[in-house]
Amino acid sequence: MRGAFLLLLLPVTLVSADTCSTLAKTTDIDVAFPVSIDYISEQKKYWSSSCVALKPSCILFPTSAADVSVILQAINDSDENFAVKSGGHNPNNYFSSVDGGPLISTARLNQASLDANTGVLRMGPGNRLDDIAAKLDGSGWTFVGGRIGNTGTGGLILGGGLSYMSGQYGWAASSALEFEVVLANGTIVTASEKENADLARALRGGGNNFGIVTTYTLQTYRQGNIWGGNVAFLHKDKVASKLLRAVRDFTEYNTDDRAAVIVTAERSTGLVVPDLIDIELIDTWILFLFYDGPTPPADLFRNFTEAGVPISNTVKTRTYSDLIGGSNWVVVKGSVVQIGTETIPMPSSENAGTVMEGIHAHWRDISGKTLLEPGIVASIAYQPFQRSIARQAKARAPDLIDADDDAERLIIEMNYSFLPKPSYNRMANTLEATYTGVRQRVLGWQEEGVLDDVYCPVFMNYGFYRADYWGRLRPESRAFAQEVAAKYDPNGFFRNRTGGWKP
């Protein structure tokens, strides 16, 4: 009887095998356990302190696709949830973070090899944008990446990737020529136009649902010095109206695809101690201006730079590496970060005031109620989503976003960062009210004929976990993603064992 009882326990022991201990004992893969220096250091490298607070059972540091294959096979033998981390910039809990299961860090998959003749770059997901910019500095080539240097390349590309250079080259994912992918069962495959083309398409905008990419092969582009930086204004009614009109007009009228802008409004308070220290309110506009050349044409950005009297101006001719490397001031260290987004049709000139100022007033109303939250920084960013972005994306490679160039759009990003972790759910409700309020207004304006009824997907890189990412894509894109997932991950390994939006 005792032997039979032990036999009954054996399958349970096998099913619940500890991936971390197994790999530490049987492989040369670096396995960092809690309290170790590598574990503590890597676990701090998230944009949101809510992700830092989740504690993986160990952190795995593969250095090759073969290592990742071994890791996935070991996780298959367990019942643990896991996560894969590139730069940790996605603040949604469990998207690139995990509590109680293994975390696969790609930090040591940081290879970068450039063909100086063709501009083809092979790089690992362990690189951040400022890493790659620095590695390419002086080569005469540039990559289509995001705007904040600390952003991880893996999450950026799998979510699409909006760049200063998207008007010229489409999404960051549009320049991905080939992916080296480790599938759920540990098989290593290539996804490109010639091999597993369906998988390659699904990886452009499909997130972490199909495999772990260990190498991205990207086309880079010729570039010399660029012009860019930030211009800041105090938030005043006349300045607000001028900047909101300027970003709308730029979206419609700009024909120079080398130019890009982001118009952000920021609200924050200084240290708040009730009854002891007064609230010091910070209420500003911060513009991100970019031109892919040493000097922009005269008057190209005049509607922005002359909207008021600047309180600071860092715009200058510089290297792209210098611009990206100097952008990390936007990362609020030690804070809980929550990001949400909406895509809206560009309003006509006659309806610009109604739409742009209506959305901004909504944001002012909601964000104004958060200003007593310790450490609060509330921001909204208006970003042109011009026809040229969709046109260039379609010309280069198929993706799941599948944006048409029949209309101009704007991508609006809404952020809250704050200090108290117990405020997470309450502030999540606030963020949801912020972006759904934008959506409700857009739908109302469309019913009234104020806005055109155009396809407006949710941009994955800025999406909040409560958003319906897949429901806002075209139905055929979602169906395609489901087919690809069923083909390459028939047992639902990534669907059932990792976080993120699932098709």
Side-chain angles (χ1 to χ4, degrees):
M1 289 294 294
R2 185 171 178 270
F5 179 70
L6 290 176
L7 287 174
L8 287 173
L9 285 181
L10 183 58
V12 176
T13 304
L14 291 175
V15 168
S16 58
D18 177 2
T19 298
C20 300
S21 298
T22 299
L23 292 173
K25 293 175 182 177
T26 62
T27 73
D28 293 329
I29 296 169
D30 191 355
V31 181
F33 290 96
V35 187
S36 72
I37 293 174
D38 284 347
Y39 181 103
I40 294 170
S41 175
E42 184 64 24
Q43 189 61 12
K44 288 180 179 179
K45 296 174 183 177
Y46 285 102
W47 279 22
S48 178
S49 62
S50 65
C51 296
V52 175
L54 300 175
K55 300 303 181 185
S57 52
C58 69
I59 301 179
L60 307 168
F61 292 94
T63 59
S64 66
D67 283 353
V68 174
S69 174
V70 170
I71 290 170
L72 288 186
Q73 291 176 65
I75 295 175
N76 269 288
D77 290 336
S78 78
D79 59 0
E80 299 162 301
N81 290 334
F82 70 100
V84 184
K85 177 187 178 188
S86 173
H89 63 276
N90 190 311
N92 290 312
N93 290 346
Y94 305 106
F95 277 44
S96 61
S97 53
V98 65
D99 198 23
L103 172 67
I104 303 171
S105 169
T106 64
R108 297 178 191 173
L109 292 167
N110 61 349
Q111 70 276 16
S113 175
L114 174 72
D115 185 318
N117 293 318
T118 64
V120 172
L121 170 70
R122 290 176 56 83
M123 71 168 195
N127 290 286
R128 296 173 188 265
L129 298 185
D130 47 13
D131 294 330
I132 290 296
K135 290 173 181 178
L136 293 182
D137 195 24
S139 70
W141 297 94
T142 193
F143 67 107
V144 181
R147 283 71 58 89
I148 308 304
N150 194 249
T151 301
T153 53
L156 176 88
I157 295 171
L158 295 179
L162 184 59
S163 171
Y164 285 131
M165 292 169 281
S166 285
Q168 299 177 82
Y169 310 117
W171 311 113
S174 305
S175 292
L177 305 174
E178 185 176 290
F179 306 84
E180 178 185 66
V181 190
V182 184
L183 301 180
N185 63 4
T187 303
I188 302 170
V189 302
T190 297
S192 66
E193 183 181 357
K194 297 179 180 179
E195 298 179 75
N196 303 305
D198 52 353
L199 178 59
R201 177 188 167 193
L203 290 169
R204 300 185 187 98
N208 63 342
N209 289 294
F210 312 102
I212 298 177
V213 181
T214 49
T215 301
Y216 295 86
T217 301
L218 307 173
Q219 180 62 58
T220 63
Y221 304 94
R222 290 291 186 185
Q223 185 182 73
N225 282 345
I226 57 89
W227 178 94
N230 303 110
V231 180
F233 302 93
L234 293 176
H235 197 295
K236 298 179 180 179
D237 289 344
K238 288 185 178 180
V239 172
S241 295
K242 289 178 180 178
L243 289 176
L244 291 168
R245 164 63 73 166
V247 71
R248 191 229 74 96
D249 289 351
F250 182 91
T251 304
E252 180 175 11
Y253 298 124
N254 175 58
T255 58
D256 190 337
D257 293 334
R258 293 174 293 176
V261 300
I262 309 173
V263 175
T264 70
E266 310 274 343
R267 308 181 78 178
S268 180
T269 51
L271 180 64
V272 179
V273 179
D275 301 324
L276 293 178
I277 299 176
D278 291 335
I279 299 172
E280 181 184 354
L281 182 65
I282 298 171
D283 200 359
T284 60
W285 288 94
I286 301 177
L287 311 183
F288 294 72
L289 304 180
F290 175 86
Y291 190 74
D292 193 2
T295 307
D299 301 332
L300 181 61
F301 295 108
R302 175 173 288 184
N303 288 349
F304 299 98
T305 58
E306 296 185 358
V309 179
I311 58 175
S312 69
N313 187 335
T314 66
V315 179
K316 62 181 180 180
T317 300
R318 55 175 80 182
T319 65
Y320 184 66
S321 177
D322 180 57
L323 178 69
I324 294 299
S327 64
N328 290 329
W329 60 266
V330 304
V331 182
V332 186
K333 295 182 179 180
S335 292
V336 179
V337 179
Q338 296 177 340
I339 303 176
T341 188
E342 260 303 331
T343 305
I344 71 168
M346 183 199 68
S348 66
S349 182
E350 63 180 355
N351 291 323
T354 298
V355 174
M356 301 299 292
E357 296 191 29
I359 288 173
H360 197 66
H362 162 68
W363 174 76
R364 296 280 297 178
D365 178 56
I366 298 286
S367 63
K369 299 172 183 175
T370 71
L371 296 179
L372 292 179
E373 190 70 35
I376 188 67
V377 178
S379 67
I380 186 168
Y382 301 91
Q383 307 183 57
F385 180 178
Q386 296 165 288
R387 299 171 194 258
S388 57
I389 297 176
R391 189 177 304 124
Q392 291 296 334
K394 281 186 174 294
R396 282 172 167 74
D399 58 58
L400 294 184
I401 302 168
D402 195 24
D404 58 78
D405 63 357
D406 296 334
E408 312 280 12
R409 303 168 180 86
L410 288 148
I411 293 175
I412 301 176
E413 178 189 356
M414 294 148 276
N415 297 3
Y416 293 106
S417 64
F418 49 93
L419 292 176
K421 293 182 182 66
S423 298
Y424 187 92
N425 289 332
R426 178 168 50 79
M427 290 300 294
N429 292 337
T430 300
L431 177 58
E432 186 175 12
T434 308
Y435 67 78
T436 57
V438 173
R439 178 64 173 166
Q440 290 162 3
R441 283 163 173 75
V442 167
L443 293 175
W445 285 320
Q446 288 176 328
E447 288 182 5
E448 296 168 6
V450 173
L451 286 175
D452 291 336
D453 185 6
V454 301
Y455 168 57
C456 286
V458 168
F459 185 53
M460 178 181 279
N461 293 128
Y462 301 153
F464 194 46
Y465 74 94
R466 296 181 182 178
D468 185 11
Y469 173 74
W470 293 101
R472 292 284 294 277
L473 291 182
R474 299 186 190 277
E476 50 270 34
S477 289
R478 184 176 196 171
F480 177 80
Q482 291 170 338
E483 292 172 3
V484 174
K487 177 180 177 181
Y488 292 94
D489 183 11
N491 296 321
F493 179 73
F494 289 102
R495 181 182 67 245
N496 298 324
R497 307 278 288 277
T498 62
W501 294 286
K502 304 305 172 185

